[in-house]
Amino acid sequence: MRVLITGGYGFIGSFVAERFYQEGYDVSIIDNVSTGDRRNVAFKHKGYILSVEDAKCEEVFRSSRFDIVVHLAAQVSVAESMANPTHDAQSNVLGLANILTLSHKYGVKKFIFASSAAVYGKNADCPVSESSACDPISPYGLNKWLGERYCAAWSDIYGLDTLCFRLSNVYGPKQGRQGEGGVVSTFVSGALQGSELTVYGNGEQTRDFIYVQDVADAIYRSSNSTLTGVYNLSTNTETSVNDLIGILRSMNDGIRVRYQESREGDIYRSSLDNGRLMAALDWAPIVSPETGLRRTYEWFRANLPDERNAPERNDAGKPMSTLGRWLRTLLPYAENALAFGATAWLTYNVQESLYGLFDFKLIYIILLGILYGNRQSLVAIALSTVLYIRFELDKGREMIAMLYDTNFFFTIATYLFVGLVVGYSIERKATVIQAKDRQYAVLEDKYRFLNEVHRETRAIKDELQRQIMNNSDSFGKIYAVTKELESLEPEKILASTVSVVETIMRADTVSIYIVNKYRSYLRLAARSQNDEFSVPKSMKAEDYDYVKRILRTKTLFVNKTLSGDAPLLSAPVVTNGEVVAVISLHHMKFDHFTQYYQNLFRIVVDLISSSLSRALSYVEATGSQRYVDGTTVLRPEVFAEILESKKVANQKHGIEFALLALQEQAAALETLPGQISGALRETDYIGLGADGTLMVLLSNSSEQEALFVLERFRKQNIPMQLIEADQYV
């Protein structure tokens, strides 16, 4: 089974991910690593560096069919939520809504949401039960409460199983210093660093501290349960801050404590009643505060660097040098001064001999503007002006005379104009380049993300292929699957589906139905060519309980009651979160009706879904190349390819089709297809034949049914005729 854990690189998420991995799950993680660390998860998994509100999360859901989603990603600081409520809402509300929407769209079976005791606010009851009133006093608590309402709404509206845990104060290894439980990590790291611990109030205020592994155990066990709704996840035990300090002093007797005035708004007592969860899940916290704190202390002692004498570091993690910073700042000015010195020497020693052919000061201004832009260009203008005046004075000119000389002002104006234009142009160019670099970085990031998704999808497919090929019972079958389904034309995939399922499942009673866009009707696309096997050409969804169940749950149907009104196995073909087809196996050998063949059938349908999704995405992306410009009419080459697929389906599986051609070409191509479409089904096609004739392909239709359609066209004054398929291929 596959589980997605948002925030999986964080404190709680890494423990939850490890628990699922130990139980044999395929683990995927979405985390923006704003507070988490990839080093927290050392086992094999799929990781995506994304924010939960990012639209690219859909690519993760599309490439993997998750059974369970555990949503732990959140902004966890109450203080940050007060200072920046917009950021808190973006992560804790919009991010949750995005993951909930994708979970419903892609058929997740269970959604687990980490809420918080902060939803209760200053509730005077202790311990607080789930039935107590919620009155959050911070944007963080308010948004967590709103998240619970989102989960309840998705459960009521879409049927998604959602479970919300109101966590008390979680603590343990890998914890940061944010959140209510962060007091433990703050005290432990402070004790190890020899810092004085600050306690606000008298230290008798209490919290319900729960060890992180107890939380991970409850989340894992609940994922395999039928629990839904809201539950407290806690120890139902009050532990005071002074008690924490006392336990820490048993491990480090050098701890120093400073008591200060209580902070306004702090809750004095807090404890959550966990009775409902213990009864419903048969779970209980097993790690005592003494044991949990000792484990936390030992982990921090082994992993926390000594920061007391650590030098200040730069963004690259290297020690910062004051001299280095000054050198980087002064380097452009030093180079400017060097260039100015060379310009002054050339002005006094060379320029006179060149009879004014070159003005080295102007060259100096242009050069500095090109190298550094406006700032150094302005410095160069000022220095060049001073040099020009000094040079003229040294030649014997009077300052008063220069002020009446238009050439003097023209030269100064030239320096100023050239310097500003060059500097501005260079900075403008640099700004454009930076914008392009940012755009390139965004595209490169998107490419890297999609490439990572592609590689992992290929790895899953290759691993599945190796498993099937190494299984003596199905050796070589994967070759048929991969080859017959390697097409970018949906009709070819549908035509190949029956033979693929027959080969893998060793059966000859297979059918595939296309689901219309309203999910009300299913129309036969292909079936096994067996004289003793017959199925209806169309089905009304509401008349078949198993069809309604598949459309609602998007999961495999197994006819365990052996009802004669339903196939033995039936599974949905899901693309982009919607059921587009239903594949059914109607009869099979009794000794094949096992869990092994059920799983094999599910795998085959997953492969078909993957191939069909790829083909439909290709069709959508190349829509402008498939249709005649401005119409819904297929181009001749595309129409011919679909027609060939119908011929193959007819030869292999006896699926009938009919081909109609327009008798006259007088009607306008822009308006006629719209009239024709109204008389057709979703599975029919309009296209151009080899000679440019407008044609209609009626899927799964006999000659008698085609005559009925022709009569409908006749009443609309559309001159169509029934023709042989080979005539226009």
Side-chain angles (χ1 to χ4, degrees):
M1 296 181 72
R2 297 177 183 173
V3 59
L4 171 67
I5 301 169
T6 67
Y9 291 134
F11 162 49
I12 301 176
S14 60
F15 280 92
V16 173
E18 185 174 6
R19 179 60 194 275
F20 276 96
Y21 176 76
Q22 290 171 347
E23 299 294 340
Y25 280 68
D26 290 333
V27 177
S28 296
I29 290 173
I30 290 178
D31 199 313
N32 65 0
V33 294
S34 59
T35 56
D37 191 332
R38 297 196 73 161
R39 293 173 295 182
N40 285 341
V41 179
F43 54 83
K44 182 181 178 182
H45 68 285
K46 297 175 209 157
Y48 306 93
I49 307 303
L50 287 171
S51 296
V52 286
E53 65 270 18
D54 197 316
K56 287 189 288 189
C57 289
E58 183 160 8
E59 297 294 339
V60 179
F61 278 82
R62 183 182 289 118
S63 63
S64 302
R65 295 180 179 277
F66 299 117
D67 300 288
I68 299 163
V69 170
V70 182
H71 185 65
L72 300 171
Q75 190 291 117
V76 297
S77 171
V78 174
E80 172 66 18
S81 76
M82 300 290 286
N84 192 350
T86 302
H87 175 252
D88 189 83
Q90 183 178 15
S91 176
N92 292 349
V93 179
L94 298 182
L96 169 64
N98 186 39
I99 300 300
L100 271 172
T101 301
L102 295 175
S103 296
H104 159 64
K105 183 175 181 179
Y106 291 96
V108 170
K109 299 182 181 70
K110 187 103 175 182
F111 185 93
I112 300 174
F113 169 60
S115 184
S116 170
V119 301
Y120 293 116
K122 291 185 176 181
N123 198 306
D125 297 333
C126 202
V128 183
S129 67
E130 292 88 346
S131 59
S132 299
C134 292
D135 187 19
I137 59 175
S138 68
Y140 171 77
L142 180 63
N143 288 331
K144 283 294 185 181
W145 188 37
L146 187 59
E148 294 178 4
R149 303 313 308 151
Y150 265 85
C151 290
W154 254 252
S155 180
D156 293 340
I157 298 171
Y158 302 114
L160 175 65
D161 283 347
T162 61
L163 174 62
C164 303
F165 283 126
R166 291 172 178 169
L167 304 181
S168 61
N169 307 101
V170 188
Y171 73 97
K174 308 179 188 177
Q175 186 178 21
R177 303 185 185 186
Q178 291 182 312
E180 287 293 329
V183 65
V184 174
S185 60
T186 300
F187 279 6
V188 170
S189 60
L192 288 169
Q193 297 293 342
S195 304
E196 189 176 58
L197 307 185
T198 301
V199 176
Y200 296 96
N202 59 9
E204 291 304 311
Q205 57 266 42
T206 63
R207 294 294 183 269
D208 190 337
F209 294 103
I210 182 169
Y211 191 63
V212 64
Q213 285 185 335
D214 284 334
V215 173
D217 179 59
I219 289 175
Y220 167 72
R221 294 177 67 175
S222 68
S223 69
N224 295 301
S225 72
T226 58
L227 261 64
T228 58
V230 178
Y231 289 85
N232 287 335
L233 180 48
S234 63
T235 64
N236 197 13
T237 302
E238 293 183 69
T239 303
S240 71
V241 174
N242 286 336
D243 290 338
L244 284 181
I245 295 172
I247 297 172
L248 287 175
R249 275 185 170 147
S250 68
M251 294 176 271
N252 185 339
D253 57 6
I255 292 177
R256 295 174 294 117
V257 181
R258 180 177 75 251
Y259 291 88
Q260 293 188 354
E261 290 293 327
S262 299
R263 291 178 298 189
E264 185 178 356
D266 276 357
I267 301 171
Y268 191 71
R269 293 181 61 199
S270 175
S271 176
L272 303 186
D273 184 356
N274 62 6
R276 284 184 66 239
L277 181 63
M278 291 178 64
L281 195 59
D282 192 24
W283 165 91
I286 60 175
V287 180
S288 66
E290 292 78 8
T291 301
L293 276 173
R294 184 168 295 278
R295 292 179 185 175
T296 305
Y297 186 87
E298 294 300 329
W299 185 89
F300 271 83
R301 183 163 63 180
N303 293 275
L304 186 69
D306 190 346
E307 300 175 351
R308 284 171 289 188
N309 299 310
E312 186 181 0
R313 296 178 179 272
N314 59 19
D315 294 337
K318 297 180 180 179
M320 297 181 66
S321 169
T322 303
L323 178 60
R325 291 198 302 269
W326 276 102
L327 287 176
R328 284 197 300 270
T329 303
L330 295 175
L331 181 60
Y333 293 96
E335 291 181 348
N336 196 333
L338 184 63
F340 175 71
T343 301
W345 184 87
L346 290 171
T347 299
Y348 275 95
N349 296 280
V350 179
Q351 185 165 310
E352 191 70 24
S353 63
L354 295 177
Y355 301 102
L357 186 62
F358 291 106
D359 188 344
F360 291 106
K361 296 182 288 300
L362 193 59
I363 296 174
Y364 158 63
I365 292 172
I366 294 173
L367 181 62
L368 267 292
I370 292 174
L371 290 175
Y372 292 109
N374 264 336
R375 177 174 295 183
Q376 295 302 323
S377 178
L378 289 172
V379 174
I381 292 170
L383 292 175
S384 296
T385 301
V386 172
L387 178 61
Y388 172 63
I389 294 172
R390 184 71 227 177
F391 182 70
E392 293 296 320
L393 292 174
D394 289 344
K395 288 169 58 177
R397 296 189 66 185
E398 295 291 337
M399 189 67 189
I400 297 297
M402 283 190 289
L403 293 177
Y404 287 95
D405 187 357
T406 56
N407 288 333
F408 171 77
F409 290 105
F410 177 78
T411 302
I412 300 300
T414 301
Y415 291 165
L416 186 62
F417 175 76
V418 171
L420 291 177
V421 168
V422 173
Y424 172 78
S425 300
I426 294 302
E427 289 200 352
R428 171 80 175 177
K429 180 181 178 181
T431 302
V432 172
I433 291 174
Q434 289 175 358
K436 293 294 183 183
D437 286 342
R438 287 193 296 270
Q439 185 179 7
Y440 173 77
V442 171
L443 292 175
E444 186 179 39
D445 178 63
K446 184 176 182 180
Y447 168 78
R448 187 164 48 246
F449 172 75
L450 292 174
N451 193 42
E452 184 179 356
V453 172
H454 170 73
R455 285 200 312 271
E456 291 179 349
T457 304
R458 287 295 309 175
I460 294 171
K461 183 177 180 181
D462 292 343
E463 183 177 351
L464 177 61
Q465 181 173 343
R466 286 194 299 270
Q467 291 175 358
I468 296 180
M469 290 189 70
N470 291 332
N471 188 334
S472 59
D473 188 46
S474 57
F475 179 81
K477 293 179 182 178
I478 192 64
Y479 177 80
V481 173
T482 54
K483 287 301 177 185
E484 292 198 45
L485 297 178
E486 283 183 358
S487 173
L488 293 176
E489 183 57 59
E491 283 292 340
K492 284 189 176 181
I493 295 174
L494 293 175
S496 303
T497 294
V498 171
S499 59
V500 168
V501 177
E502 287 178 341
T503 303
I504 297 292
M505 300 302 298
R506 300 179 182 179
D508 60 354
T509 54
V510 179
S511 69
I512 176 168
Y513 283 84
I514 301 298
V515 181
N516 74 340
K517 64 181 180 181
Y518 303 108
R519 294 167 44 126
S520 56
Y521 276 92
L522 289 79
R523 302 192 185 280
L524 184 65
R527 65 173 178 83
S528 297
Q529 195 167 15
N530 184 340
D531 294 337
E532 298 179 357
F533 171 58
S534 63
V535 290
K537 287 189 175 183
S538 63
M539 296 191 301
K540 194 174 182 180
E542 65 179 23
D543 293 340
Y544 297 86
D545 291 337
Y546 81 94
V547 173
K548 290 190 292 184
R549 180 184 177 278
I550 289 174
L551 295 178
R552 185 181 72 255
T553 64
K554 304 175 185 177
T555 57
L556 173 71
F557 166 77
V558 181
N559 189 355
K560 295 181 179 180
T561 62
L562 302 181
S563 170
D565 297 331
L568 290 179
L569 297 174
S570 189
V573 176
V574 181
T575 64
N576 294 327
E578 296 295 333
V579 179
V580 298
V582 175
I583 301 174
S584 299
L585 183 60
H586 295 262
H587 306 291
M588 61 191 303
K589 292 182 179 179
F590 181 76
D591 57 352
H592 285 181
F593 193 52
T594 62
Q595 186 68 45
Y596 169 78
Y597 276 92
Q598 292 172 21
N599 291 334
L600 191 60
F601 184 67
R602 183 187 292 110
I603 290 171
V604 173
V605 175
D606 284 348
L607 283 173
I608 294 167
S609 295
S610 178
S611 297
L612 194 58
S613 293
R614 183 177 64 248
L616 291 174
S617 297
Y618 173 78
V619 168
E620 183 179 355
T622 59
S624 60
Q625 303 172 24
R626 293 173 62 86
Y627 298 98
V628 176
D629 293 343
T631 72
T632 58
V633 179
L634 293 169
R635 295 180 182 272
E637 63 275 12
V638 179
F639 189 74
E641 191 172 356
I642 294 175
L643 183 57
E644 184 63 26
S645 300
K646 293 295 184 182
K647 289 179 63 180
V648 172
N650 178 261
Q651 294 168 1
K652 284 187 175 182
H653 311 298
I655 301 298
E656 297 177 299
F657 69 93
L659 194 61
L660 309 180
L662 189 67
Q663 292 179 333
E664 302 173 4
Q665 292 294 89
L669 192 62
E670 292 80 5
T671 59
L672 189 56
Q675 295 178 261
I676 295 176
S677 296
L680 301 179
R681 301 163 300 184
E682 295 175 356
T683 53
D684 299 331
Y685 298 91
I686 306 174
L688 295 180
D691 61 353
T693 301
L694 187 67
M695 309 184 73
V696 174
L697 176 59
L698 302 176
S699 301
N700 194 22
S701 298
S702 63
E703 183 175 343
Q704 186 64 32
E705 291 169 325
L707 293 174
F708 175 78
V709 176
L710 283 174
E711 178 61 21
R712 189 181 301 169
F713 285 151
R714 187 189 64 79
K715 292 179 179 179
Q716 298 181 29
N717 295 321
I718 302 175
M720 304 286 289
Q721 62 178 340
L722 183 65
I723 64 170
E724 292 294 330
D726 291 337
Q727 185 174 351
Y728 285 100
V729 176

